[in-house]
Amino acid sequence: MTPPGHEWTPQRDLEFSAGEEHALALAYKSFAPLIFTVALRSLGDRSAASDVTQEVFVRAWRFRSGYSPNAGSLPAWLLGISRNAVSDAQSARQKSDKIVQRVHTVGDLRAQEDGTDEIESVANRVVLDSELELLGEPQQSILRLAFYEDLTHQQISSRLDLPLGTVKSHIRRSLTQLRSRLETWNAAP
């Protein structure tokens, strides 16, 4: 078996930087397995590793004008992009986890601080429900399945018949919007 990238030459570097699509296709064929493996080892999640692999090639193609074949080979540049994409994915996962945790505990925290009980919890649920309604569809349905039914991204994708990447993107963007609005609500006296 030949190693990944065996077909890659300095000429391919030049073709890629010149925007020749066949060079992108060959780069993907040659290096996607390596980048997927790096991402999988870092993230421990096949779906996230697949998303990172796709993101690496999208970024590489979008920003190919910043690639200089004289500075280094395309495989090395792609691995640099993959390190950034893995780091971004880890940060996004941590932020998402924190937001979900905060949304789940917002009622409990307010009740502990104020000494209130079930009334505050119900009020928090009403606020959360109204905030979810502001998101629109399919974001509202996706977050309701995540929060109230505790479904995984994959389960939500299957239930709503949406691509997994779409579900993840909606969750990430919606949680950012929701966090902003809930922080404003929590700051109110």
Side-chain angles (χ1 to χ4, degrees):
M1 180 174 189
T2 56
H6 70 283
E7 301 169 339
W8 204 259
T9 64
Q11 179 61 35
R12 300 280 188 231
D13 290 340
L14 294 170
E15 291 168 355
F16 184 91
S17 69
E20 295 183 25
E21 289 184 24
H22 76 275
L24 172 63
L26 184 57
Y28 186 84
K29 179 182 172 190
S30 298
F31 306 113
L34 173 64
I35 291 170
F36 177 83
T37 301
V38 168
L40 181 60
R41 287 184 180 160
S42 298
L43 300 170
D45 178 331
R46 294 186 72 75
S47 178
S50 181
D51 289 346
V52 164
T53 302
Q54 180 180 355
E55 179 65 20
V56 166
F57 284 94
V58 167
R59 287 182 190 182
W61 191 246
R62 184 178 298 148
F63 301 109
R64 67 186 176 275
S65 63
Y67 167 63
S68 172
N70 297 331
S73 69
L74 184 69
W77 190 62
L78 290 173
L79 284 172
I81 294 172
S82 70
R83 281 192 298 273
N84 291 333
V86 164
S87 177
D88 292 347
Q90 289 169 331
S91 295
R93 183 188 314 177
Q94 290 170 350
K95 286 178 186 177
S96 177
D97 290 348
K98 286 179 184 177
I99 292 168
V100 169
Q101 181 182 9
R102 183 169 182 178
V103 169
H104 281 296
T105 61
V106 70
D108 294 338
L109 293 174
R110 297 278 305 244
Q112 290 172 5
E113 291 171 3
D114 299 339
T116 59
D117 54 0
E118 218 171 293
I119 294 172
E120 187 72 23
S121 180
V122 170
N124 288 329
R125 172 76 181 233
V126 169
V127 168
L128 181 59
D129 283 344
S130 67
E131 292 298 328
L132 287 175
E133 287 178 21
L134 293 174
L135 293 175
E137 288 297 337
Q139 296 89 341
Q140 182 184 125
S141 295
I142 291 170
L143 286 184
R144 285 187 188 282
L145 291 172
F147 290 156
Y148 299 134
E149 295 187 34
D150 201 27
L151 298 182
T152 66
H153 294 166
Q154 184 65 46
Q155 291 168 327
I156 294 168
S157 172
S158 296
R159 182 169 299 178
L160 297 179
D161 195 30
L162 291 171
L164 182 59
T166 300
V167 168
K168 288 180 178 184
S169 295
H170 281 311
I171 288 175
R172 188 170 27 253
R173 286 191 300 266
S174 298
L175 287 175
T176 300
Q177 292 174 1
L178 189 59
R179 179 184 69 183
S180 176
R181 290 198 299 257
L182 287 174
E183 284 175 348
T184 301
W185 181 77
N186 281 331

